[in-house]
Amino acid sequence: MKALAVAASIALLPGIAHAEERDYCPERPGIGTPACTIAPGRVSIETGLVDWTREDDSSLRSDTVLIGDTLIRIGLTDTVEAQVGWTPFGHVRTRDKTSAAIDRADRVGDVLLGFKANLHNPDGSGVSAAIHPFVTLPVGRGPVGAGDWGAGLVVPVTYDLSDALNLEFSPELDAAVDQDGKGRHLAYSGTVGLGVAITPAVTGTIEFQTLRDDDPSGATTQALTGISFGWMANDALQLDIGGAIGLNHASPDGEIYLGLSRRF
């Protein structure tokens, strides 16, 4: 009888593992942050293959290209994940419109360390909420790296309006690095988005963000809108494309990016 019970338990293991599996929920693409977390024992590698941002005003034009901007998420428990992020290469080209002088800089970016703890529905279904504190370490140098350590807290909340519609809200509070790379100041933002399941494999998201940055060199308020699409090639691989445009003079003019996410 004991042997029979052991055999029955072994036979049930695949079914149990399957029942505990949850849908893959990458943080890419988009401006906001989802509330879902990676299942324990799983690892998600989410990489921006290329990301181009343009800023243009009356005196300067700046183009920033990031290659391989990567976030690694590691499931620690059913509701908690660890995060490590790094930008291995960034290129910044700045042109002075008055003198026509051009400056170029190739740098690595800073390292992000953080965790996300889900407070309700870690798979992101129904109403889901989480807290996501993080710090950034000054591994890189300006203009790609910030030049000093920073910290922040995101409290993402998502709500399924229906099987095809998902509402997201991502308030964020930061100790952002000063523009001169020495010291920190207050910055805070709010991002609201609507996700749409276009097909079982394709999702689209439209988002709006306002960001207040109280830098000592001059406080600014940015307003952005973005649109992104993700395609789940299979249950562990997503490809994405997206972009954003600035809605006021203080915001970057535009951003376009491509990326992929893979779960192991």
Side-chain angles (χ1 to χ4, degrees), residues 138-162:
V139 173
R141 294 188 296 122
V144 177
D148 204 345
W149 68 267
L153 175 67
V154 189
V155 185
V157 178
T158 58
Y159 174 59
D160 287 334
L161 298 172
S162 69

Side-chain angles (χ1 to χ4, degrees), residues 25 31 61 83 90 94 98 112 129 133 136 152 159 186 196 209 213 225 244 247-248 255 258:
C25 180
I31 304 171
R61 169 172 169 171
Q83 295 191 355
T94 303
T98 302
L112 177 145
T136 55
Y159 174 59
L186 177 66
V196 181
Q209 181 188 72
D213 190 309
T225 184
L247 301 178
N248 64 2
E255 178 186 16
L258 296 167

Side-chain angles (χ1 to χ4, degrees), residues 35-36 118 120-129 156-163 165-168:
C36 56
N118 185 274
H120 189 63
N121 288 339
D123 63 352
S125 63
V127 178
S128 184
V157 178
T158 58
Y159 174 59
D160 287 334
L161 298 172
S162 69
D163 290 340
L165 297 175
N166 177 269
L167 186 65
E168 66 174 40

